[in-house]
């Protein structure tokens, strides 16, 4: 992640749209919401609202993470979805390529997180003041110097997956904050939000939406 912000110039990838929901596949390198300053104004939210003026923010992904995001098309849907996220009813799955060979086939990381104030936006583990953060993970495939894993966050802390993988000794490839040396030398952050399972705000039916992993 360089200091310069050069977001990808590509058309919106719409995964699903109806009267309450809009699901899109966010490209890596694009902010979810505007940053501070005019140079950080270009973001997924502004691009979406240029086409769908009624679209409302529900959650966000890190700039360097790609994948599925849901937006609400009505205030009712925004409240409904917001509560689902708050109550941890939304099921999320990510794909990541992490450094090294992960010994176990699956596991859980349970480490509380808090912002690292002198180094923000970085986060770090803090057992005294950190907020609970839990990630389940499963190995998908072993590569030469890396392991492909699927990550299932039970909580939604900032940078949660990135810090948790670093803490078990397997930082996500290409992570500008938490990877070092060779692990950092990837073309992008190798983290992709693959699927979201949620209840439709109109009727409550359970639905799963997916965005194919680009790496």
């Amino acid at each position: 992640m360089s200091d310069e912000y050069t977001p990808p110039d590509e058309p919106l990838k719409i995964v699903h749209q109806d009267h309450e929901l809009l699901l899109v596949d966010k490209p890596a390198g694009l902010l979810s919401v505007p940053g501070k300053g005019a140079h950080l104004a270009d973001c997924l939210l502004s691009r979406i609202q240029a086409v769908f003026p009624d679209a409302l923010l529900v959650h966000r992904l890190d700039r360097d993470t790609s994948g599925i995001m849901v937006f609400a098309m009505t205030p009712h849907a925004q409240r409904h979805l917001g509560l689902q996220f708050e109550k941890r009813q939304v099921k999320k799955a990510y794909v990541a390529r992490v450094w090294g060979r992960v010994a176990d086939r699956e596991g859980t990381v349970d480490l509380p997180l808090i912002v690292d104030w002198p180094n923000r936006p970085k986060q770090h583990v803090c057992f005294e003041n950190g907020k609970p953060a839990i990630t389940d993970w499963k190995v998908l495939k072993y590569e030469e110097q890396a392991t492909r894993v699927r990550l299932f966050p039970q909580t939604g802390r900032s940078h949660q997956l990135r810090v948790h993988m670093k803490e078990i000794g397997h930082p996500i490839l290409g992570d500008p904050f938490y990877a070092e040396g060779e692990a950092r030398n990837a073309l992008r952050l190798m983290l992709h939000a693959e699927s979201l399972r949620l209840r439709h705000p109109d009727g409550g039916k359970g639905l799963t939406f997916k965005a194919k992993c680009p790496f």
Side-chain angles (χ1 to χ4, degrees), residues 181-198:
E182 282 186 79
R184 200 166 173 167
N185 294 339
L187 292 171
R188 54 159 289 189
L189 175 71
M190 292 291 173
L191 180 62
H192 176 76
E194 182 184 44
S195 70
L196 274 179
R197 180 161 181 80
L198 47 84

Side-chain angles (χ1 to χ4, degrees), residues 96-155:
R97 292 177 63 224
V98 302
W99 178 252
R101 186 180 177 89
V102 181
D104 297 325
R105 295 302 302 219
E106 57 185 63
T108 298
V109 185
D110 184 353
L111 292 170
L113 301 176
I114 195 169
V115 66
D116 182 358
W117 276 106
N119 301 303
R120 63 185 186 277
K122 287 176 79 170
Q123 311 287 315
H124 65 158
V125 174
C126 177
F127 289 98
E128 286 175 20
N129 302 310
K131 291 181 175 174
I134 301 168
T135 305
D136 297 322
W137 57 267
K138 188 179 252 178
V139 167
L140 295 174
K141 183 180 155 193
Y142 292 111
E143 301 175 8
E144 201 170 319
Q145 287 185 306
T147 306
R148 185 177 285 264
V149 293
R150 188 166 278 128
L151 305 172
F152 307 95
Q154 293 185 32
T155 50

Side-chain angles (χ1 to χ4, degrees), residues 1-213:
M1 180 163 157
S2 65
D3 292 335
E4 279 186 33
Y5 179 47
T6 50
D9 182 17
E10 56 184 69
L12 288 176
K13 293 184 198 159
I14 308 294
V15 175
H16 171 88
Q17 188 221 340
D18 62 39
H19 63 295
E20 297 273 34
L21 298 178
L22 176 67
L23 280 291
V24 297
D25 183 356
K26 185 185 91 65
L30 179 65
L31 289 165
S32 294
V33 296
K36 286 180 182 164
H39 65 298
L40 298 175
D42 186 12
C43 63
L44 185 60
L45 181 63
S46 63
R47 291 184 184 188
I48 282 173
Q49 288 178 336
V51 183
F52 304 97
D54 296 334
L56 298 163
L57 187 73
V58 176
H59 67 128
R60 58 189 74 185
L61 290 176
D62 291 347
R63 173 177 114 176
D64 295 329
T65 304
S66 56
I68 195 92
M69 273 184 75
V70 61
F71 293 82
M73 297 300 284
T74 65
H76 161 74
Q78 187 184 38
R79 283 192 301 274
H80 196 283
L81 292 164
L83 276 171
Q84 290 185 57
F85 275 93
E86 202 179 301
K87 294 176 177 176
R88 301 183 191 171
Q89 294 167 343
V90 177
K91 300 301 174 201
K92 298 173 265 187
Y94 290 71
V95 173
R97 292 177 63 224
V98 302
W99 178 252
R101 186 180 177 89
V102 181
D104 297 325
R105 295 302 302 219
E106 57 185 63
T108 298
V109 185
D110 184 353
L111 292 170
L113 301 176
I114 195 169
V115 66
D116 182 358
W117 276 106
N119 301 303
R120 63 185 186 277
K122 287 176 79 170
Q123 311 287 315
H124 65 158
V125 174
C126 177
F127 289 98
E128 286 175 20
N129 302 310
K131 291 181 175 174
I134 301 168
T135 305
D136 297 322
W137 57 267
K138 188 179 252 178
V139 167
L140 295 174
K141 183 180 155 193
Y142 292 111
E143 301 175 8
E144 201 170 319
Q145 287 185 306
T147 306
R148 185 177 285 264
V149 293
R150 188 166 278 128
L151 305 172
F152 307 95
Q154 293 185 32
T155 50
R157 307 293 171 214
S158 183
H159 291 191
Q160 175 177 319
L161 302 177
R162 299 162 70 168
V163 178
H164 276 177
M165 290 299 100
K166 182 199 80 143
E167 288 295 324
I168 63 169
H170 300 285
I172 297 173
L173 297 181
D175 192 329
F177 288 146
Y178 306 105
E180 293 172 358
E182 282 186 79
R184 200 166 173 167
N185 294 339
L187 292 171
R188 54 159 289 189
L189 175 71
M190 292 291 173
L191 180 62
H192 176 76
E194 182 184 44
S195 70
L196 274 179
R197 180 161 181 80
L198 47 84
R199 286 182 295 110
H200 198 287
D202 183 2
K205 185 183 177 187
L207 299 167
T208 300
F209 300 98
K210 292 188 174 182
K212 191 169 184 279
C213 184

